[in-house]
Amino acid sequence: MDPLRLEQHLEAVPGQYPSRFSSPAQRALHLDGVTRIRPVAASRLPWPHGLFKCPYGERAKTLATTYPKGHSKTAHAELFTQLNEQGFAACP
């Protein structure tokens, strides 16, 4: 994009933030790419939970009972913080 044109796009429109994108389609292409798959940081992904044949399944279920209903993923995250290198290796 030509620098002068970019500068025009960066000028504030009342009630809106300045944008580098000339259209909503350009913004979507930038964020979602051609395949429409948006990359996210690994830290934003949910913790693994309820894995098939996990040797820590029962331990995770027991820990989940100490959390409010609907927070079993949080319990699994806590369990993962308690595992050592061999513990992670044992998970499928």
Side-chain angles (χ1 to χ4, degrees):
M1 180 178 273
D2 142 18
L4 181 60
R5 190 166 172 205
L6 176 61
E7 199 171 288
Q8 290 170 345
H9 283 292
L10 294 177
E11 289 178 13
V13 175
Q16 294 183 350
Y17 289 105
S19 176
R20 290 179 171 247
F21 307 106
S22 58
S23 70
Q26 283 295 323
R27 181 181 183 278
L29 180 62
H30 178 78
L31 293 175
D32 299 329
V34 177
T35 59
R36 296 207 166 286
I37 297 175
R38 184 178 293 190
V40 296
S43 62
R44 303 269 330 251
L45 297 173
W47 284 89
H49 59 282
L51 299 174
F52 181 68
K53 294 187 178 182
C54 177
Y56 302 106
E58 288 304 314
R59 186 171 158 192
K61 286 179 187 174
T62 303
L63 190 57
T65 62
T66 65
Y67 281 84
K69 185 177 181 180
H71 290 273
S72 66
K73 290 180 185 179
T74 309
H76 284 82
E78 181 182 337
L79 175 66
F80 274 95
T81 65
Q82 297 172 0
L83 298 178
N84 59 19
E85 193 174 311
Q86 291 80 23
F88 273 109
C91 284

